[in-house]
């Protein structure tokens, strides 16, 4: 009887998730939803940003009417930042979050995290990166010690596995089979 094993997965895409100050008390609930949605939490950190750090983090929003309120809100208390990984992490996280306006999310995406945890247009409960490049930038901002090397995908990933990983595994497994320990247990 053959046992079907799932294909091994290499999670090549990461995104930043932030639980905002007014929702930090629901951290465990939100983490459960994240894990049940197929994400892996690679790094997690609880911190409080200063207004200056918030201004730097949201620099692309500078000059917009809501910018002062956004920086005041994000620096009003501790946040929980997480690096999430899975295939298509950025798009799946955005889909799970729903629209940035919580009021609109309740109408158009009633099962989204922002519909459930957000309170209005500004206090939407959670942050998500808009693209892979913004995710890398934001992860470096919150987790400066994180190593974010370009991870090969597609044919480049298969070539890497065939050239480096498979020969090493084959050599190691062959040596293990030849060792024949007297008492394997």
């Amino acid at each position: 009887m053959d046992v079907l094993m799932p294909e091994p997965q290499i999670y090549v895409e990461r995104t930043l998730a932030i639980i905002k100050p007014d929702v930090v008390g629901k951290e465990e609930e939100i983490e459960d939803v994240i894990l049940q949605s197929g994400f892996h939490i690679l790094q997690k950190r609880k911190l409080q940003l200063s207004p200056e750090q918030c201004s730097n983090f949201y620099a692309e929003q500078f000059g917009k009417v809501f910018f002062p309120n956004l920086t005041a809100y994000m620096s009003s208390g501790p946040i929980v930042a997480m690096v999430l990984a899975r295939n298509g992490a950025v798009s799946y996280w955005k889909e799970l979050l729903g629209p940035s306006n919580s009021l609109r999310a309740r109408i158009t995406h009633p099962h989204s995290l922002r519909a459930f945890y957000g309170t209005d247009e500004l206090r939407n409960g959670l942050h998500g990166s808009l693209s892979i490049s913004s995710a890398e930038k934001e992860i470096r901002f919150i987790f400066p010690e994180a190593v974010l090397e370009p991870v090969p995908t597609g044919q480049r990933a298969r070539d890497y596995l065939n050239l480096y990983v498979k020969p090493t595994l084959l050599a190691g497994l062959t040596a293990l089979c030849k060792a024949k320990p007297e008492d394997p247990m």
Side-chain angles (χ1 to χ4, degrees):
M1 182 167 125
D2 289 331
V3 177
L4 294 176
M5 296 290 289
E7 277 285 318
Q9 295 290 315
I10 299 174
Y11 299 101
V12 296
E13 194 170 299
R14 289 169 245 160
T15 191
L16 182 73
I18 294 178
I19 301 174
K20 294 182 179 181
D22 54 334
V23 189
V24 166
K26 304 288 186 180
E27 173 186 349
E28 287 183 24
E29 284 177 33
I30 294 168
E31 278 186 40
D32 286 344
V33 173
I34 289 168
L35 295 172
Q36 290 171 8
S37 299
F39 288 94
H40 293 272
I41 300 173
L42 302 181
Q43 289 183 282
K44 179 179 157 184
R45 174 177 185 200
K46 192 172 196 171
L47 68 153
Q48 183 157 354
L49 298 174
S50 70
E52 293 79 22
Q53 289 171 315
C54 291
S55 293
N56 291 335
F57 185 79
Y58 287 107
E60 70 278 352
Q61 305 293 338
F62 184 77
K64 295 187 178 173
V65 175
F66 60 86
F67 184 76
N69 291 335
L70 176 63
T71 56
Y73 165 52
M74 288 301 291
S75 61
S76 67
I79 61 169
V80 175
M82 295 173 279
V83 177
L84 306 181
R86 73 168 277 170
N87 291 332
V90 172
S91 60
Y92 278 108
W93 181 239
K94 287 191 322 190
E95 184 179 319
L96 189 59
L97 286 176
S100 59
N101 181 331
S102 297
L103 303 175
R104 186 178 307 125
R106 286 192 189 105
I107 296 166
T108 62
H109 296 76
H111 301 292
S112 69
L113 291 174
R114 286 180 173 151
F116 194 72
Y117 294 105
T119 54
D120 57 33
E121 294 176 45
L122 178 67
R123 299 179 192 283
N124 59 11
L126 297 121
H127 168 85
S129 303
L130 295 175
S131 66
I132 294 172
S133 61
S134 67
E136 288 176 1
K137 184 185 100 186
E138 292 172 355
I139 291 168
R140 281 192 187 97
F141 185 91
I142 301 289
F143 297 93
E145 74 287 354
V147 176
L148 294 175
E149 297 177 12
V151 179
T153 59
Q155 187 58 46
R156 286 182 45 218
R158 287 188 286 282
D159 292 345
Y160 177 84
L161 290 172
N162 288 330
L163 189 61
Y164 298 105
V165 177
K166 285 183 180 178
T168 303
L169 285 174
L170 183 61
L173 291 172
T174 302
L176 185 62
C177 289
K178 290 179 181 177
K180 294 186 185 174
E182 286 181 29
D183 185 14
M185 301 302 217

